[in-house]
Amino acid sequence: MIEYRGVTKVYDSDVVAVDNANLTIGDGEFVCFIGTSGSGKTTALRLINRMHDPTEGDILIDGEDIQEYGPVNLRRKIGYAIQQTGLFPHMTVYENVVTVPRLLEWDEEKCRNTAERLMERVDLPVELLDRYPSELSGGQQQRIGVIRALAANPGVVLMDEPFGALDPITRDALHELVIELQEEYNNTFVFVTHDMDEALKLADRIAIWHEGKVIQYDTPENILSNPADDYVRSFIGQDRLFDAKTNNIRVKEVMNENVLTVTPGKTVSDALSIMHSKRVDTLFVVDDYNKLLGRITIEQVADEDDKNRNVMDIIDREVRPLHANDLIQNKLRQVLRRGRSNIPVVDRDETLIGIITKTTLVNLVYNLIWDQDIAQEEILEEGLSE
């Protein structure tokens, strides 16, 4: 367990990098420190392995003040990986991986077995152990940086934006690797990033730093559901907030069941009469079993000179319905981009059971994101007219 107790770090007498930090990181937790440049996140990380020492306060690991350890001895017990990998260019990959085990006076057989096992674990051929870092790709070097941090199986592993310079595909692969290794070895990870998506993917808990202070420290789910203030809300981004808040809302929960329909036996004139009496601009065409066949709009009716024609002659069959169990978060932007006022909702048998209107979705956005006081019953009972 890592504890920050009233930790402050001041540089040059007036630059406060960390301001009275109090937080606890549990054994085996994966915690991400996130914030903009200058927020204090990296300084807070480096205080753990005494690359910096606090001006005030204490940091404890497993109940012991780290100031009781010499910096060198402390660092031998803590894994550390950084963005530039920190590999020693004049040493082979093998020598890099076993740097700390050798300092801990492991015998050579144990060092070799550990290095080979870790290379296989990260899908790298053991033959690369005899090469130099310059002979490896960026992604391979970063994998070596990760396993070097884990080689001595330390209780605590620190990572300072280790994947920031990598391409997205390599980065995603390394995310999966780190998650697997952390679960396998049950190390306590403290991971610095400026990328909220990375933090949400990796972390058990996230500490959001701003001007040296921890603004919010909580699980990803709680941070998304209950941002501490406007700064956190802005930092997270409205897209992520909306996706989180709509995560369990299905189309059927907000659809309007009052669907106006017309059958194939009706004429264009019949359709126009229904539209006029109900003050709507769209009807859905269904068969005798209420199966969706298409739609007819006021524009189609207005353009048709022969009002006695069967509606099936002018029907728009290119209708893409939503399904009742679709999640709103997966459909919202798609629906709003379509430009349609009303989107039909069908069940598993393609039977028409309701509609989603653009007004419904706009109201939902306001209700969820900007906390407008729009009652749920108003959304459900909202009429068809725009």
Side-chain angles (χ1 to χ4, degrees):
M1 182 169 66
I2 303 171
E3 299 174 82
Y4 289 72
R5 295 182 177 178
V7 174
T8 295
K9 177 62 180 177
V10 181
Y11 293 106
D12 299 327
S13 300
D14 58 354
V15 179
V16 181
V18 176
D19 188 359
N20 192 32
N22 293 278
L23 58 90
T24 299
I25 299 169
D27 289 338
E29 275 196 312
F30 198 123
V31 171
C32 281
F33 287 179
I34 189 168
T36 58
S37 297
S39 63
K41 61 186 187 298
T42 296
T43 298
L45 177 89
R46 293 177 178 175
L47 289 170
I48 295 173
N49 64 359
R50 294 198 61 189
M51 292 183 72
H52 305 297
D53 285 328
T55 306
E56 298 177 10
D58 302 300
I59 295 178
L60 284 68
I61 297 180
D62 294 333
E64 297 185 13
D65 191 333
I66 62 173
Q67 296 297 318
E68 300 299 320
Y69 293 90
V72 174
N73 289 332
L74 178 68
R75 290 168 197 161
R76 290 176 183 176
K77 299 179 180 181
I78 297 175
Y80 187 51
I82 59 176
Q83 181 173 329
Q84 296 80 13
T85 74
L87 300 179
F88 302 115
H90 61 286
M91 295 167 59
T92 65
V93 169
Y94 172 71
E95 291 168 332
N96 270 282
V97 170
V98 300
T99 298
V100 173
R102 280 180 169 174
L103 291 172
L104 295 174
E105 299 182 349
W106 289 15
D107 64 64
E108 199 60 29
E109 182 180 2
K110 184 178 180 181
C111 286
R112 190 76 196 185
N113 289 340
T114 298
E116 291 183 358
R117 176 173 52 82
L118 287 170
M119 290 290 282
E120 292 172 356
R121 188 65 187 78
V122 298
D123 297 323
L124 290 177
V126 295
E127 291 79 12
L128 292 183
L129 287 170
D130 297 322
R131 297 188 183 180
Y132 288 88
S134 60
E135 300 178 80
L136 277 57
S137 69
Q140 289 173 330
Q141 290 183 36
Q142 204 63 63
R143 286 172 186 260
I144 299 302
V146 170
I147 65 174
R148 184 178 67 173
L150 294 170
N153 195 20
V156 175
V157 178
L158 310 180
M159 292 191 166
D160 189 1
E161 303 205 51
F163 310 139
L166 299 177
D167 64 89
I169 294 176
T170 303
R171 194 178 188 189
D172 284 344
L174 285 170
H175 285 162
E176 297 300 328
L177 170 65
V178 167
I179 291 171
E180 291 174 6
L181 290 173
Q182 192 265 341
E183 290 177 349
E184 180 178 333
Y185 289 93
N186 199 35
N187 315 91
T188 301
F189 270 60
V190 184
F191 188 106
V192 166
T193 181
H194 64 273
D195 186 329
M196 179 55 74
D197 288 326
E198 186 169 59
L200 293 171
K201 182 176 183 178
L202 295 174
D204 296 314
R205 287 199 286 174
I206 297 172
I208 299 178
W209 293 80
H210 180 55
E211 296 181 347
K213 294 181 179 293
V214 179
I215 304 301
Q216 188 166 4
Y217 182 45
D218 211 331
T219 64
E221 295 79 12
N222 287 340
I223 287 176
L224 287 170
S225 300
N226 300 290
D229 57 22
D230 288 341
Y231 176 81
V232 174
R233 188 174 291 105
S234 174
F235 192 86
I236 293 170
Q238 294 293 359
D239 283 353
R240 296 188 191 94
L241 285 172
F242 185 82
D243 286 347
K245 291 183 178 182
T246 60
N247 189 47
N248 296 313
I249 300 178
R250 299 192 181 276
V251 167
K252 62 185 178 183
E253 297 176 44
V254 293
M255 72 180 184
N256 189 327
E257 296 180 0
N258 182 25
V259 189
L260 295 176
T261 62
V262 63
T263 57
K266 299 297 183 180
T267 65
V268 173
S269 179
D270 294 329
L272 179 61
S273 178
I274 296 172
M275 290 180 182
H276 177 73
S277 64
K278 298 296 184 179
R279 295 294 191 269
V280 297
D281 61 6
T282 303
L283 298 175
F284 291 100
V285 184
V286 295
D287 66 13
D288 293 339
Y289 301 98
N290 218 43
K291 300 286 187 182
L292 180 65
L293 302 176
R295 88 171 83 229
I296 184 170
T297 67
I298 190 65
E299 290 84 4
Q300 291 170 296
V301 170
D303 290 340
E304 179 53 54
D305 293 330
D306 183 0
K307 297 298 190 282
N308 291 317
R309 288 187 68 184
N310 192 297
V311 293
M312 293 300 291
D313 293 335
I314 65 171
I315 187 176
D316 175 13
R317 299 177 186 274
E318 296 299 318
V319 179
R320 290 179 291 169
L322 300 178
H323 287 80
N325 285 320
D326 286 341
L327 291 173
I328 283 289
Q329 75 178 77
N330 297 332
K331 299 297 179 179
L332 174 77
R333 296 172 185 84
Q334 171 189 341
V335 169
L336 292 178
R337 282 197 299 266
R338 287 186 195 175
R340 294 285 189 183
S341 298
N342 307 311
I343 308 295
V345 179
V346 297
D347 64 13
R348 190 177 302 173
D349 298 323
E350 302 299 317
T351 300
L352 183 65
I353 59 173
I355 60 169
I356 289 286
T357 73
K358 188 157 62 175
T359 300
T360 297
L361 295 180
V362 170
N363 285 344
L364 186 63
V365 170
Y366 275 100
N367 191 36
L368 291 175
I369 295 182
W370 287 285
D371 294 323
Q372 298 282 336
D373 187 20
I374 301 174
Q376 184 69 16
E377 57 267 23
E378 291 179 0
I379 295 176
L380 295 174
E381 294 173 6
E382 168 264 318
L384 295 178
S385 59
E386 298 283 40

